[in-house]
Amino acid sequence: MASPSTWTTTEVRNLIGDQWLAPSSEPGLELINPATGELLGRSPLGSAEEVHAAVQAAHAAFPGWRAMPVGDRIQFLFRLKTLMEQHLAELAETITRENGKTLAEAKAELRRGIENVEVACGVPVLMQGHSLEDIAPGIDEVMVRQPLGVCAVITPFNFPSMIPLWFIPYAIATGNTVVLKPSDRVPFSAARLVKLMLQTGLPVGVVNLVNGGKPTVDALLDHPLVRAVSFVGSTPVAKYVYARGSASGKRVQCQGGAKNHVVVLPDADPESTTKIIADSAFGGAGQRCLAVSVTVTVGEAKDWFRESIAAAAAGLKVGNGLDAAAQMGPVITEASRERVVALIGKGAGQGASAIVDGRGMKGPGSFVGPTVLDGLPAASPLMETEIFGPVLSVVHAASVDEAIQMIERSAYGNASSIFTSSGASARKFRNAVSTGNVGVNIGVPAPMAWFPFSGWKGSFFGVMHAQGRDAIEFFTDKKVIVERWPKEWSRKF
Ligand code: NAD
């Protein structure tokens, strides 16, 4: 049994086996509550020695864990689900304090995380192989799935609890052991989650946690005992992790950044369309990989959408996510605020007009208000830039085909949506559009836990995606056994 810990939430510690250890590396990022400017603690830079110790602990735990019957392994996940539900309010508050999103958004991410735990409880069915008798006289063939060994999970800041749960429940239910490297900007939520995992009675070393930045990631990518790497983050880092991890022979899945479009047709319902798109663009302060970033109005939709989205954006209440009245929180850091403000200025300089301008918000806290950029020229580099803030561009196309081509030209392929009351237009769009997640009258087409999170193009590097059946495939190797048992070799009764 791993020992419970009593460290305070201002300290960032690593879990190696059953020990919560203070980091041995230099201090790295200052951790600031983005809504208040309050200093919460410091993330360490991380070191190869700490990674090595965590990987060794995971490696040592692997033989015993994989040998445990699968029905027993999933009991820890049933307990985790219960514990997460019991601690939902406290977990949500930890997320809000370090990430800035509203409490309602934090609870929603935890719900999706719990859903992944639930799906992983189905591993006794999901992990089954297949078999066939008499492939030749007296010979049978069987395919079984077996765990890989030590798996690394590297996660971003925007969903501090949900994204670790896109991977860890599946990895451990299938018999692997894990080293989690959470975002160095939000280490507390992940640590709290891992503490709950230990509270389930999980054997020592099945889940380990190392904090840090690039040195920690590099050490995981190069470690010979790490068999697989699951990564979620920005596209440049995703590409880097994919290349470096694959070069050392690991199985790697990397989800990258996004620039998501929604297309609004003239026959869309104005009221619900506006509300759903505003939620998608400004929820999480625009820091969601499925947030809409560009709305393409088609035909006369142009006439009503600009006005209605401007009114919706201007009416949102921005504030500390702990305040129940707040509908949108701050962006993650002051540097991020400055970057988003500069990009809005760039858009305005390139011919767009900021019909709602969120640049004027005052601190404390790294707040940018909802912003709508109207008429960004197609050639503007901003059309391709992931802003990752509460900024929605509105552009126009003459037809659905032109809108689909616009999306085709994007280097990203995470998500797109269409708003329409025409079944034929919806069908054409979902069939032709070049993104892996597609919505029809949906603002955030986030796949449920039993479907794969299907980014395409520059939004995903690898073969198997996060969640559901893809996760089972990713975390297991197939083994095929061909068996002959001649009668004459067997004892006769
Ligand atoms: P990020 O790429 O900065 O960081 C992700 C992880 O990589 C973190 O753990 C970080 O510590 C580490 N890291 C950062 N720089 C590194 C480097 N140079 N070398 C090695 N490791 C490094 O991403 P972020 O800012 O935390 O998260 C936001 C990004 O994640 C956005 O681009 C967003 O679209 C993307 N995202 C994608 C999905 C998806 O499903 N496609 C989901 C959530 C977030």
Coordinates of all heavy atoms in Angstrom, one line a residue, residues 29 153-159 162-163 166-167 181-186 212-218 221 231-238 240-241 244 254-260 286-291 332 386 388 412 414 437 453-456 458-460 466, ligand 1:
L29 N 9.2 27.3 -13.0 CA 8.1 28.3 -13.1 C 7.5 28.7 -11.8 O 7.3 27.9 -10.9 CB 7.0 27.7 -14.0 CG 7.2 27.5 -15.4 CD1 5.9 26.9 -16.0 CD2 7.5 28.9 -16.1
V153 N 2.9 9.5 -19.4 CA 1.8 10.4 -19.8 C 2.2 11.8 -19.5 O 2.5 12.2 -18.4 CB 0.6 10.0 -18.9 CG1 -0.6 10.9 -19.2 CG2 0.1 8.5 -19.2
I154 N 2.2 12.7 -20.6 CA 2.6 14.1 -20.5 C 1.5 15.0 -20.9 O 0.9 14.8 -22.0 CB 3.9 14.3 -21.4 CG1 5.0 13.3 -21.1 CG2 4.4 15.7 -21.4 CD1 6.0 13.2 -22.2
T155 N 1.1 15.9 -20.0 CA -0.2 16.6 -20.2 C 0.0 18.1 -20.2 O 0.9 18.6 -19.6 CB -1.2 16.1 -19.1 OG1 -0.6 16.3 -17.8 CG2 -1.5 14.6 -19.2
P156 N -1.0 18.8 -20.7 CA -1.0 20.3 -20.8 C -1.7 21.0 -19.6 O -2.3 20.3 -18.8 CB -1.8 20.5 -22.1 CG -2.8 19.5 -22.1 CD -2.2 18.3 -21.4
F157 N -1.8 22.3 -19.7 CA -2.3 23.0 -18.5 C -3.8 23.2 -18.6 O -4.4 23.4 -17.5 CB -1.7 24.4 -18.5 CG -2.3 25.4 -19.4 CD1 -3.5 26.1 -19.1 CD2 -1.7 25.7 -20.6 CE1 -4.1 27.0 -19.9 CE2 -2.3 26.6 -21.5 CZ -3.5 27.3 -21.2
N158 N -4.5 23.0 -19.8 CA -5.8 23.5 -19.9 C -6.9 22.5 -19.3 O -8.0 23.0 -19.0 CB -6.2 23.9 -21.3 CG -6.1 22.7 -22.3 OD1 -5.4 21.8 -22.0 ND2 -6.8 22.8 -23.3
F159 N -6.6 21.2 -19.1 CA -7.5 20.3 -18.4 C -6.6 19.5 -17.5 O -6.3 18.3 -17.7 CB -8.2 19.4 -19.4 CG -9.3 20.1 -20.2 CD1 -9.0 20.7 -21.4 CD2 -10.5 20.3 -19.7 CE1 -10.0 21.3 -22.2 CE2 -11.5 21.0 -20.3 CZ -11.3 21.5 -21.6
M162 N -8.7 16.2 -16.3 CA -9.3 15.3 -17.3 C -8.3 14.6 -18.2 O -8.4 13.4 -18.5 CB -10.3 16.1 -18.2 CG -11.0 15.3 -19.3 SD -11.9 16.3 -20.4 CE -10.7 17.1 -21.4
I163 N -7.3 15.4 -18.7 CA -6.4 14.8 -19.7 C -5.5 13.7 -19.1 O -5.4 12.6 -19.7 CB -5.6 15.9 -20.4 CG1 -6.6 16.7 -21.3 CG2 -4.5 15.3 -21.3 CD1 -6.1 17.8 -22.1
W166 N -7.6 10.7 -19.6 CA -7.7 10.2 -20.9 C -6.9 8.9 -21.1 O -7.1 8.1 -22.0 CB -7.3 11.2 -22.0 CG -8.3 12.2 -22.3 CD1 -9.6 12.3 -21.9 CD2 -8.1 13.3 -23.2 NE1 -10.2 13.4 -22.5 CE2 -9.3 14.0 -23.3 CE3 -7.0 13.8 -24.0 CZ2 -9.5 15.2 -24.1 CZ3 -7.2 14.9 -24.8 CH2 -8.4 15.6 -24.8
F167 N -5.8 8.8 -20.3 CA -4.8 7.7 -20.5 C -4.7 6.8 -19.3 O -4.7 5.6 -19.5 CB -3.5 8.4 -20.8 CG -3.5 9.4 -21.9 CD1 -3.5 10.7 -21.7 CD2 -3.7 8.9 -23.2 CE1 -3.5 11.6 -22.8 CE2 -3.7 9.8 -24.3 CZ -3.7 11.2 -24.1
K181 N 3.7 13.0 -16.1 CA 4.4 14.3 -16.0 C 3.3 15.3 -16.3 O 3.0 15.6 -17.5 CB 5.5 14.3 -17.1 CG 6.7 15.2 -16.8 CD 6.3 16.7 -16.7 CE 6.0 17.4 -18.0 NZ 5.6 18.8 -17.8
P182 N 2.7 15.9 -15.3 CA 1.7 16.9 -15.6 C 2.3 18.2 -16.1 O 3.5 18.4 -16.0 CB 1.1 17.1 -14.2 CG 2.1 16.8 -13.2 CD 3.0 15.8 -13.8
S183 N 1.5 19.1 -16.5 CA 1.9 20.5 -16.9 C 2.6 21.1 -15.8 O 2.1 21.1 -14.6 CB 0.8 21.3 -17.4 OG 1.2 22.7 -17.4
D184 N 3.8 21.8 -16.1 CA 4.5 22.5 -15.0 C 3.8 23.8 -14.6 O 4.2 24.5 -13.7 CB 6.0 22.7 -15.4 CG 6.1 23.2 -16.8 OD1 5.1 23.3 -17.5 OD2 7.3 23.6 -17.2
R185 N 2.6 24.1 -15.3 CA 1.9 25.3 -14.9 C 0.7 24.9 -13.9 O 0.2 25.8 -13.3 CB 1.4 26.0 -16.1 CG 2.5 26.7 -16.8 CD 2.1 27.5 -18.0 NE 2.0 26.8 -19.2 CZ 1.7 27.3 -20.4 NH1 1.3 28.5 -20.5 NH2 1.7 26.5 -21.5
V186 N 0.3 23.7 -13.9 CA -0.8 23.3 -13.0 C -0.5 21.9 -12.3 O -1.2 21.0 -12.5 CB -2.1 23.2 -13.8 CG1 -2.6 24.5 -14.3 CG2 -2.0 22.3 -15.0
G212 N 8.1 18.8 -13.7 CA 9.3 19.5 -14.4 C 8.8 19.9 -15.8 O 7.7 19.8 -16.2
G213 N 9.8 20.4 -16.5 CA 9.6 20.9 -17.9 C 10.3 20.1 -18.9 O 10.3 18.8 -18.8
K214 N 11.0 20.7 -19.8 CA 11.6 20.0 -20.9 C 12.6 18.9 -20.4 O 12.6 17.8 -21.0 CB 12.3 21.0 -21.8 CG 12.9 20.4 -23.0 CD 13.4 21.5 -24.0 CE 14.3 21.0 -25.1 NZ 13.9 19.8 -25.7
P215 N 13.5 19.2 -19.4 CA 14.4 18.1 -19.0 C 13.7 16.8 -18.6 O 14.2 15.7 -18.8 CB 15.1 18.7 -17.8 CG 15.0 20.2 -17.9 CD 13.6 20.4 -18.6
T216 N 12.5 17.0 -17.9 CA 11.8 15.8 -17.5 C 11.2 15.0 -18.7 O 11.3 13.8 -18.8 CB 10.6 16.2 -16.5 OG1 11.2 17.0 -15.5 CG2 9.9 15.1 -15.9
V217 N 10.7 15.8 -19.6 CA 10.1 15.2 -20.8 C 11.2 14.5 -21.6 O 11.0 13.3 -22.0 CB 9.4 16.3 -21.7 CG1 8.9 15.7 -23.0 CG2 8.2 16.9 -21.0
D218 N 12.3 15.1 -21.8 CA 13.4 14.5 -22.6 C 13.9 13.2 -21.9 O 14.1 12.2 -22.6 CB 14.6 15.5 -22.7 CG 14.3 16.6 -23.7 OD1 13.2 16.5 -24.4 OD2 15.0 17.6 -23.7
L221 N 11.4 10.6 -22.7 CA 11.5 10.1 -24.1 C 12.7 9.3 -24.4 O 12.7 8.4 -25.3 CB 11.5 11.4 -25.0 CG 10.3 12.3 -25.0 CD1 10.5 13.5 -25.8 CD2 9.0 11.5 -25.5
F231 N 1.0 12.0 -25.2 CA 1.3 13.4 -25.0 C 0.1 14.2 -25.5 O -0.5 13.9 -26.5 CB 2.5 13.8 -25.8 CG 2.7 15.3 -25.9 CD1 3.5 15.9 -24.9 CD2 2.1 16.1 -26.8 CE1 3.7 17.3 -24.9 CE2 2.3 17.5 -26.9 CZ 3.1 18.1 -25.9
V232 N -0.2 15.3 -24.7 CA -1.2 16.3 -25.2 C -0.6 17.7 -25.0 O -0.1 17.9 -23.8 CB -2.6 16.2 -24.5 CG1 -3.5 17.2 -25.1 CG2 -3.2 14.8 -24.7
G233 N -0.6 18.5 -26.0 CA -0.1 19.9 -25.8 C -0.1 20.6 -27.1 O -0.8 20.3 -28.0
S234 N 0.8 21.6 -27.3 CA 0.8 22.4 -28.5 C 1.5 21.6 -29.6 O 2.2 20.7 -29.4 CB 1.6 23.7 -28.2 OG 2.9 23.3 -27.8
T235 N 1.2 22.0 -30.9 CA 1.7 21.2 -32.0 C 3.2 21.2 -32.1 O 3.8 20.1 -32.4 CB 1.0 21.8 -33.3 OG1 -0.4 21.4 -33.3 CG2 1.7 21.2 -34.6
P236 N 3.9 22.3 -31.9 CA 5.4 22.2 -32.0 C 6.0 21.2 -31.0 O 6.9 20.4 -31.4 CB 5.9 23.6 -31.7 CG 4.7 24.5 -32.0 CD 3.5 23.7 -31.7
V237 N 5.5 21.2 -29.8 CA 6.0 20.2 -28.8 C 5.5 18.8 -29.1 O 6.3 17.8 -29.0 CB 5.6 20.6 -27.4 CG1 6.2 19.7 -26.4 CG2 6.1 22.1 -27.1
A238 N 4.3 18.7 -29.6 CA 3.7 17.4 -30.0 C 4.6 16.7 -31.1 O 4.9 15.5 -31.0 CB 2.3 17.5 -30.5
Y240 N 7.7 17.4 -31.7 CA 9.0 17.1 -31.1 C 9.0 15.8 -30.3 O 9.8 14.9 -30.5 CB 9.4 18.3 -30.3 CG 10.6 18.0 -29.3 CD1 11.9 18.0 -29.8 CD2 10.4 17.7 -28.0 CE1 13.0 17.8 -29.0 CE2 11.5 17.5 -27.1 CZ 12.7 17.5 -27.6 OH 13.8 17.2 -26.8
V241 N 7.9 15.7 -29.5 CA 7.8 14.5 -28.7 C 7.6 13.2 -29.5 O 8.2 12.2 -29.3 CB 6.6 14.7 -27.7 CG1 6.2 13.3 -27.0 CG2 6.9 15.7 -26.6
R244 N 11.1 12.4 -31.3 CA 12.1 11.9 -30.3 C 11.7 10.6 -29.7 O 12.6 9.7 -29.5 CB 12.4 13.0 -29.3 CG 13.6 12.7 -28.4 CD 14.1 13.9 -27.7 NE 15.2 13.6 -26.8 CZ 16.0 14.5 -26.3 NH1 16.0 15.7 -26.6 NH2 16.9 14.1 -25.4
C254 N 0.5 11.6 -29.9 CA 0.6 13.0 -29.5 C -0.6 13.8 -30.1 O -0.7 13.9 -31.3 CB 1.9 13.6 -30.1 SG 3.4 12.9 -29.3
Q255 N -1.3 14.4 -29.2 CA -2.4 15.3 -29.6 C -1.9 16.7 -29.5 O -1.3 17.1 -28.5 CB -3.6 15.1 -28.7 CG -4.1 13.7 -28.8 CD -5.4 13.4 -28.1 OE1 -5.7 12.3 -27.8 NE2 -6.2 14.4 -27.9
G256 N -2.0 17.5 -30.6 CA -1.5 18.8 -30.7 C -2.5 19.9 -30.6 O -3.6 19.7 -30.2
G257 N -2.1 21.1 -31.2 CA -3.0 22.3 -31.1 C -4.1 22.3 -32.1 O -4.4 21.3 -32.8
A258 N -4.7 23.4 -32.2 CA -6.0 23.4 -33.0 C -6.3 24.9 -33.5 O -5.8 25.8 -32.9 CB -7.1 22.9 -32.2
K259 N -7.1 24.9 -34.5 CA -7.7 26.2 -35.0 C -9.0 25.8 -35.6 O -9.1 25.3 -36.7 CB -6.8 26.8 -36.1 CG -7.3 28.2 -36.6 CD -6.8 29.3 -35.7 CE -7.3 30.6 -36.1 NZ -6.9 31.7 -35.2
N260 N -10.0 25.8 -34.7 CA -11.3 25.2 -35.1 C -12.3 26.2 -35.8 O -12.5 27.3 -35.3 CB -12.0 24.6 -33.9 CG -11.0 23.6 -33.2 OD1 -10.4 22.7 -33.9 ND2 -10.8 23.7 -31.9
G286 N -11.4 30.5 -23.9 CA -10.9 30.1 -25.2 C -9.7 29.2 -25.2 O -9.1 28.9 -26.2
Q287 N -9.4 28.6 -24.0 CA -8.2 27.8 -23.9 C -8.6 26.3 -23.9 O -8.3 25.5 -23.0 CB -7.5 28.1 -22.6 CG -7.0 29.5 -22.5 CD -6.5 29.9 -21.1 OE1 -5.4 30.1 -20.9 NE2 -7.4 29.9 -20.1
R288 N -9.4 25.9 -24.9 CA -9.8 24.5 -25.1 C -9.4 24.1 -26.5 O -9.6 24.9 -27.4 CB -11.3 24.4 -24.9 CG -11.8 24.6 -23.5 CD -13.2 24.2 -23.4 NE -14.2 25.1 -24.0 CZ -15.4 25.2 -23.7 NH1 -16.0 24.5 -22.8 NH2 -16.2 26.1 -24.4
C289 N -8.9 22.9 -26.7 CA -8.4 22.5 -28.0 C -9.6 22.3 -28.9 O -9.4 22.2 -30.1 CB -7.6 21.3 -27.9 SG -8.6 19.9 -27.4
L290 N -10.9 22.3 -28.4 CA -12.0 22.2 -29.3 C -12.8 23.5 -29.4 O -13.9 23.6 -29.9 CB -13.0 21.1 -28.8 CG -12.4 19.7 -28.8 CD1 -13.4 18.7 -28.3 CD2 -12.1 19.3 -30.2
A291 N -12.2 24.6 -28.8 CA -12.9 25.9 -28.8 C -13.0 26.4 -30.3 O -12.0 26.2 -31.0 CB -12.1 26.9 -28.0
I332 N -4.2 31.7 -18.6 CA -3.4 31.0 -17.6 C -2.3 31.9 -17.0 O -2.1 31.7 -15.8 CB -2.8 29.7 -18.2 CG1 -2.1 28.9 -17.2 CG2 -2.0 30.0 -19.5 CD1 -2.9 28.2 -16.2
E386 N -3.0 29.6 -33.7 CA -3.8 29.2 -32.5 C -3.6 30.3 -31.4 O -2.5 30.4 -30.9 CB -3.3 27.8 -32.0 CG -4.2 27.4 -30.8 CD -3.8 26.0 -30.2 OE1 -2.6 25.7 -30.1 OE2 -4.7 25.3 -29.8
F388 N -5.5 30.7 -28.6 CA -5.7 30.1 -27.3 C -6.0 31.1 -26.2 O -5.5 31.3 -25.1 CB -4.4 29.3 -26.8 CG -4.8 27.9 -26.3 CD1 -5.6 27.1 -27.0 CD2 -4.4 27.5 -25.0 CE1 -6.0 25.8 -26.5 CE2 -4.7 26.3 -24.5 CZ -5.5 25.5 -25.2
Y412 N -4.3 22.6 -39.2 CA -4.9 21.8 -38.1 C -6.1 21.0 -38.6 O -6.7 21.3 -39.6 CB -5.3 22.7 -37.0 CG -4.2 23.5 -36.3 CD1 -4.0 24.8 -36.6 CD2 -3.3 22.9 -35.5 CE1 -2.9 25.6 -36.1 CE2 -2.2 23.6 -34.9 CZ -2.1 24.9 -35.2 OH -1.1 25.6 -34.6
N414 N -8.4 19.5 -35.8 CA -9.0 19.0 -34.6 C -10.5 18.9 -34.6 O -11.0 17.8 -34.4 CB -8.5 19.8 -33.4 CG -8.3 19.0 -32.1 OD1 -7.8 17.8 -32.3 ND2 -8.5 19.5 -31.0
N437 N -12.9 15.5 -35.5 CA -14.1 15.6 -34.6 C -15.0 16.6 -35.3 O -14.6 17.7 -35.7 CB -13.7 16.2 -33.2 CG -12.7 15.2 -32.5 OD1 -13.0 14.1 -32.2 ND2 -11.5 15.7 -32.3
F453 N -10.7 10.4 -29.3 CA -10.6 11.8 -29.4 C -9.8 12.0 -30.7 O -8.6 12.1 -30.7 CB -9.9 12.4 -28.2 CG -10.1 13.9 -28.1 CD1 -11.0 14.4 -27.2 CD2 -9.4 14.8 -28.8 CE1 -11.2 15.7 -27.0 CE2 -9.6 16.1 -28.7 CZ -10.5 16.6 -27.8
S454 N -10.5 12.3 -31.8 CA -9.9 12.0 -33.2 C -9.4 13.2 -33.9 O -9.9 13.5 -35.0 CB -11.0 11.4 -34.0 OG -11.4 10.2 -33.6
G455 N -8.3 13.9 -33.4 CA -7.7 15.0 -34.1 C -7.1 14.4 -35.4 O -6.7 13.3 -35.5
W456 N -7.0 15.3 -36.4 CA -6.3 15.0 -37.7 C -5.2 16.0 -38.0 O -5.1 17.0 -37.3 CB -7.3 15.0 -38.9 CG -8.3 13.9 -39.0 CD1 -8.5 12.9 -38.2 CD2 -9.1 13.7 -40.2 NE1 -9.4 12.0 -38.7 CE2 -9.9 12.5 -39.9 CE3 -9.4 14.4 -41.3 CZ2 -10.8 12.0 -40.8 CZ3 -10.4 13.9 -42.2 CH2 -11.1 12.7 -42.0
G458 N -2.3 18.5 -38.4 CA -1.4 19.0 -37.4 C -1.9 18.9 -35.9 O -1.2 19.4 -35.0
S459 N -3.1 18.4 -35.7 CA -3.6 18.3 -34.4 C -3.3 16.9 -33.8 O -3.7 16.6 -32.6 CB -5.1 18.5 -34.4 OG -5.4 19.8 -34.8
F460 N -2.7 16.0 -34.6 CA -2.5 14.6 -34.0 C -1.3 13.9 -34.7 O -1.3 14.0 -36.0 CB -3.8 13.8 -34.1 CG -3.6 12.4 -33.6 CD1 -3.4 12.2 -32.2 CD2 -3.5 11.3 -34.4 CE1 -3.2 10.9 -31.7 CE2 -3.3 10.0 -33.9 CZ -3.1 9.8 -32.5
A466 N -6.6 9.0 -28.0 CA -7.0 8.8 -26.6 C -8.4 8.3 -26.5 O -9.2 8.4 -27.4 CB -6.9 10.2 -25.9
Ligands
NAD1 P1 2.6 22.8 -24.2 O1 2.9 22.2 -25.5 O2 3.3 24.1 -23.8 O3 2.9 21.8 -22.9 C1 2.4 20.5 -22.9 C2 3.4 19.6 -22.1 O4 4.7 19.6 -22.7 C3 3.6 20.1 -20.7 O5 3.7 19.0 -19.8 C4 4.9 20.9 -20.8 O6 5.6 20.9 -19.5 C5 5.7 20.1 -21.8 N1 6.6 20.9 -22.6 C6 6.4 22.2 -22.9 N2 7.4 22.7 -23.7 C7 8.2 21.6 -23.9 C8 9.4 21.4 -24.7 N3 10.0 22.4 -25.4 N4 9.9 20.2 -24.7 C9 9.4 19.1 -24.1 N5 8.3 19.3 -23.3 C10 7.7 20.5 -23.3 O7 1.0 23.0 -24.1 P2 0.2 23.8 -23.1 O8 0.4 25.2 -23.3 O9 0.3 23.2 -21.7 O10 -1.3 23.4 -23.6 C11 -2.0 24.1 -24.6 C12 -1.9 23.4 -25.9 O11 -2.3 22.0 -25.8 C13 -2.7 24.0 -27.0 O12 -1.9 24.1 -28.2 C14 -3.9 23.1 -27.1 O13 -4.5 23.2 -28.4 C15 -3.3 21.8 -26.9 N6 -4.2 20.8 -26.5 C16 -4.6 19.9 -27.4 C17 -5.6 18.9 -27.0 C18 -6.0 17.9 -28.0 O14 -6.7 17.0 -27.7 N7 -5.6 18.0 -29.3 C19 -6.2 18.9 -25.8 C20 -5.8 19.9 -24.9 C21 -4.8 20.9 -25.2

